[in-house]
Amino acid sequence: MKIGILTSGGDCPGLNAVIRGMVLKGVISYDTEFVGFRNGWRGVVEEDLMPIVRHDVRGLAKQGGTILGSSRTNPFEGEGGGPEKIQAMLDRNGIDAIVAIGGEGTLTAARRLYDEGGIKVIGVPKTIDNDLAATDYSFGFDTAVQIATEAIDRLRTTADSHGRCMVLEVMGRHVGWIALHSGMAGGAHAILIPEQPQTIEQITEWVESVRDRGRAPLVVVAEGFKFEGMEEAHSHKGLDAFNRPRLGGIAELLAPMIEERTGIESRATVLGHIQRGGEPTAFDRVLATRLGMAAVDAAYNDAWGSMVTLRGTSIATVSIADAVGTLNQVPQARYDEAKILFG
Ligand code: F6P
């Protein structure tokens, strides 16, 4: 079998480890041939591909980013887009199937290509936000939490020196897993997430109670957090290629509000793409490698239209159609558990 691999959407530490896991498993167990599509679906639509042999994935598990590049191209658009043209391109290149590594948008597009054109696809879920309900954890999340936790640790030492309030903004468009886990790990005094709108009065109360104990308050806020009554998350940077508002900047709004109400000098740090760069943690390398290997097995089991996922500690295969469309939100009980320690 000849399999085409693509990485699509926002990148994520662990993408290269998936590619390596696939190639090693395929070459060792099945004598599979691989090609990579450059820049996600754009490489499919524009027939831009490159062979990948075992030698190419040497030492790749620890490398951040993706050797294939990524884009937010829609495979149903453009001259070479749509199931018929894509199937013709696959036939021309002798490619039997596509393994698409991506988030909600990528997986939905992959499933549509299967439903509408019978294109043989397998999905591998990718999101640092950990917002896909189909998988207990996605690779990249652990790395992002590790980076955010280190940022909190660093902010706390300088905050203590100056008696300042620090507001750290982390990623998390729809869900607050990165904020929750890094906030708990770093001992944050308040964690603000998209699922749990709060009032500025409540946030101020937490901050003041920390100050009253003689400590420097540390607030973690997810980029998608909304104050009570806000319809949409704060955005002032226009739209991305999927017409979604580019988020980022809520910390810069929040810090002055805290300072004004409490009199505590307050500073904002927006962690941004630092969370998505660099080497994946050991946990993410293992998860990504296992998912990559399982994706190849899924292809040889003819599990077309499905994706590989983590269920507990086991890798499973589920239909993409059943898997996408539901967000993996932070449950109320997990937030309540963390909230006891706020203030
Ligand atoms: O979806 C993952 C994510 O990291 C979000 O948390 C964030 O809003 C978005 O990607 C940023 O995307 P981009 O790299 O296109 O700015």
Side-chain angles (χ1 to χ4, degrees), residues 130-142:
N130 202 34
D131 58 1
L132 282 170
T135 185
D136 287 349
Y137 284 103
S138 46
F139 62 87
F141 169 66
D142 186 66

Side-chain angles (χ1 to χ4, degrees), residues 72 128-129 171-173 223 244 247 273 276:
R72 297 202 190 267
I128 64 158
D129 292 4
M171 281 186 171
R173 173 172 286 273
E223 61 182 358
R244 301 181 312 176
L247 301 187
H273 290 86
R276 293 225 308 248

Side-chain angles (χ1 to χ4, degrees), residues 162-167 207 217 219 251-269:
H162 296 270
R164 286 173 176 154
C165 169
M166 293 296 192
V167 180
V207 166
V219 177
E252 281 151 350
L253 212 69
L254 179 57
M257 289 168 84
I258 292 174
E259 181 166 314
E260 196 191 318
R261 282 166 178 79
T262 63
I264 308 171
E265 185 181 357
S266 302
R267 298 294 183 91
T269 303

Side-chain angles (χ1 to χ4, degrees), residues 61-84:
K62 69 172 169 41
Q63 198 172 305
T66 161
I67 56 163
L68 295 176
S70 190
S71 72
R72 297 202 190 267
T73 303
N74 182 340
F76 286 84
E77 286 170 5
E79 221 173 278
E84 274 171 33

Side-chain angles (χ1 to χ4, degrees), residues 190-211:
I191 301 171
L192 308 174
I193 64 174
E195 298 91 325
Q196 299 280 341
Q198 304 289 349
T199 60
I200 185 64
E201 288 75 24
Q202 173 62 83
I203 298 166
T204 307
E205 204 179 300
W206 285 323
V207 166
E208 283 177 332
S209 105
V210 179
R211 188 255 323 262

